[in-house]
Amino acid sequence: HVAISGSRTVDTFGHKSSYSFTLGNLLPEEVSWLEVLAMDRTGRELYLLDPMRPNMLDRYYASGVQTSGNNATRGFTTFTDPATAPAAWLPGFVAVSAMSNTSDAFLSFDGTPIPMNNQPFTVSSFYQTSTPDIQVYHNVQYLDANRVAITQNSGPLQTVSTGGWVRLSSTLTPPAGAAYGRVRFSVASQGKSYASSVSVNIAGLQTNMGSTPAQTSSGGGAIRCVVDSFGVDSPRYPLQNVSMTIMEV
C-alpha cells in the first residue's frame, strides 16, 4: 500500500525474501537511476535475479505443490526415503498420468510468470517411469510486457528412461517482445493409447539462465520485488552512498 506521502507498506504472507545493498562512491547520475526504481509509482514490475538461487521458477511450482494438469491427472508425493529421490534434498515429486491419446498432457502453473531478458535459458527436471518409450518435452508460453500471450515454443522430444531417475533439459531462446514466460512440463501423446495408469514421475522442476542446467535448487530465484527503503548520504562531494532494501512481493 502506498500512502500519499510516498511511504510504502507491504503485506507479506508465507516465505518472503528481502535484500539489503550498500553502494558506495556513486556519481550523481548513477544515484538518479536508483532513485527512479525507488520512486516508481507506475505499477511497473521489478525483478531481482538471485545468484544464490539459479532456479527462476516459483517455489511452489518448483516443488510441485501448486502445479495443475491438463489432459492428465496429477498428484504430489513427499519423499519418505531420501534414497528414492534423484537428489536427497529434493522435497517431492509430481506424478503425471496421461489421460488422452489425442492431446499432450502437461503440468503448468498459472501464478507469477518468470522474466525473460532475450537470453537463452534452460528448462530441466528429473523424470522416472516404468513404461517404455514415453516421451516428454519442455514448453514455454511467452507474454509481452502487458502479460498478453504472443507465442510459444518447445524443446525437442526426449524419451524417459525406465532404469531410474534421469535429468532431461532443453535450451530455449525467447523471441523478440517476450517480457515473461510460463514454463510447462509436457508428456507427448504421439498418438499412443495411454492408459490412465501410465504415469511419469517428475522431480526438481527448474528453469535457469544460460544454456546448461544449473545445480538444482528449490526455486524462487526470480524475485518480484519493490524498493522498500532508500537512503543517501554524501561523505565526499559529489560522490554519494546509497543504502537500499529490496523486498519480495
Side-chain angles (χ1 to χ4, degrees):
H1 312 283
V2 180
I4 295 176
S5 64
S7 64
R8 197 183 288 240
T9 301
V10 180
D11 295 330
T12 59
F13 302 95
H15 182 15
K16 300 291 184 180
S17 299
S18 63
Y19 301 81
S20 297
F21 300 89
T22 300
L23 308 173
N25 298 320
L26 300 181
L27 295 172
E29 55 267 31
E30 295 174 314
V31 175
S32 295
W33 280 102
L34 296 174
E35 285 180 327
V36 169
L37 297 180
M39 302 304 295
D40 188 359
R41 299 292 183 266
T42 64
R44 180 170 48 195
E45 292 184 330
L46 302 178
Y47 281 84
L48 174 69
L49 299 184
D50 187 346
M52 300 297 292
R53 290 178 171 269
N55 189 358
M56 296 191 298
L57 294 179
D58 184 278
R59 293 185 186 90
Y60 294 105
Y61 187 16
S63 67
V65 174
Q66 288 194 359
T67 52
S68 60
N70 290 69
N71 302 319
T73 58
R74 148 279 160 213
F76 174 78
T77 303
T78 302
F79 286 122
T80 55
D81 178 7
T84 66
W89 60 269
L90 285 175
F93 66 86
V94 288
V96 186
S97 298
M99 297 292 289
S100 171
N101 62 0
T102 58
S103 300
D104 294 356
F106 57 86
L107 293 174
S108 61
F109 178 60
D110 296 329
T112 304
I114 60 176
M116 301 278 104
N117 65 353
N118 298 319
Q119 299 296 321
F121 61 94
T122 299
V123 183
S124 64
S125 187
F126 295 93
Y127 297 86
Q128 181 190 64
T129 182
S130 59
T131 304
D133 302 326
I134 286 185
Q135 292 183 306
V136 299
Y137 64 94
H138 305 112
N139 173 271
V140 179
Q141 181 185 54
Y142 298 103
L143 302 91
D144 63 16
N146 297 315
R147 294 203 179 188
V148 176
I150 53 176
T151 187
Q152 59 180 308
N153 67 352
S154 302
L157 288 172
Q158 302 180 73
T159 302
V160 179
S161 170
T162 57
W165 289 98
V166 59
R167 192 182 191 190
L168 302 176
S169 64
S170 303
T171 299
L172 302 168
T173 301
Y180 306 99
R182 284 197 170 99
V183 181
R184 301 188 293 189
F185 297 80
S186 307
V187 178
S189 63
Q190 294 294 289
K192 298 179 180 180
S193 297
Y194 286 148
S196 59
S197 60
V198 173
S199 64
V200 180
N201 296 330
I202 305 179
L205 284 65
Q206 178 158 321
T207 300
N208 60 263
M209 298 303 299
S211 56
T212 57
Q215 179 179 353
T216 52
S217 64
S218 59
I223 306 299
R224 182 170 173 261
C225 58
V226 296
V227 177
D228 185 50
S229 65
F230 188 89
V232 180
D233 66 88
S234 181
R236 180 183 178 186
Y237 179 84
L239 302 180
Q240 300 174 68
N241 299 332
V242 172
S243 300
M244 57 190 301
T245 299
I246 294 175
M247 179 176 290
E248 180 181 2
V249 296

